[in-house]
């Protein structure tokens, strides 16, 4: 059983990996926490894992898979407040929705436009 300190360290490691564009690694790191999580945290983690997996798919050329996973992840994250678990979740959701719209239109924001997950103010 993972204690809260280990869970927090893994969550932070996943954030760092995501922000470096290591989406597969972030997905794997967060999945370790997700496996032991209880609701509602389990849904939050599943949403953020799906967002990471979406960008991993995009970097591998799977645009349809990216769009589908991004939509599923954002749907799960929509039930959480603007800031959650110390991150600016509203910014991630807004960026994700821009990506979904671009992918649905057959366009791409390009690699330089990948979202970053920023810490919430005063966290």
């Amino acid at each position: 059983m993972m204690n809260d300190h280990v869970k927090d360290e893994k969550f932070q490691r996943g954030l760092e990996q995501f922000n470096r564009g290591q989406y597969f690694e972030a997905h794997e790191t967060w999945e370790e926490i997700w496996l032991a999580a209880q609701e509602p945290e389990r849904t939050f983690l599943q949403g953020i894992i799906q967002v990471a997996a979406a960008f991993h798919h995009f970097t591998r050329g799977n645009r349809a898979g990216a769009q589908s996973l991004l939509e599923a992840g954002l749907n799960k994250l929509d039930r959480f407040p603007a800031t959650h678990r110390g991150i600016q979740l509203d910014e991630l959701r807004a960026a994700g929705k821009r990506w979904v719209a671009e992918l649905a239109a057959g366009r791409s924001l390009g690699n330089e436009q990948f979202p970053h997950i920023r810490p919430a103010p005063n966290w």
Side-chain angles (χ1 to χ4, degrees):
M1 187 118 206
M2 236 183 282
N3 67 37
D4 288 344
H5 180 72
V6 171
K7 289 177 193 173
D8 288 344
E9 282 182 351
K10 286 185 181 289
F11 184 73
Q12 289 302 318
R13 185 178 325 127
L15 290 176
E16 291 164 9
Q17 291 166 328
F18 184 96
N19 287 338
R20 285 195 302 262
Q22 297 172 318
Y23 303 112
F24 180 79
E25 292 81 356
H27 160 280
E28 291 289 301
T29 298
W30 287 328
E31 195 168 70
E32 293 175 37
I33 310 167
W34 172 76
L35 289 170
Q38 302 298 312
E39 290 299 346
E41 194 66 6
R42 187 172 178 84
T43 295
F44 167 74
L45 289 167
Q46 187 175 20
I48 206 167
I49 286 166
Q50 286 177 319
V51 169
F55 286 106
H56 174 68
H57 279 280
F58 180 83
T59 63
R60 297 180 61 85
N62 181 358
R63 296 170 59 92
Q67 182 181 339
S68 173
L69 278 167
L70 201 47
E71 289 171 338
L74 291 171
N75 184 48
K76 287 178 180 63
L77 295 177
D78 272 343
R79 29 191 116 159
F80 294 91
T83 59
H84 184 73
R85 189 112 188 221
I87 64 170
Q88 293 188 25
L89 193 53
D90 55 345
E91 283 188 3
L92 178 62
R93 285 190 295 241
K97 288 173 185 174
R98 281 192 302 276
W99 269 88
V100 167
E102 290 296 305
L103 289 168
R107 297 187 301 263
S108 163
L109 291 171
N111 293 4
E112 71 281 354
Q113 295 293 320
F114 285 140
H116 283 79
I117 301 174
R118 297 187 328 133
N122 304 320
W123 183 257

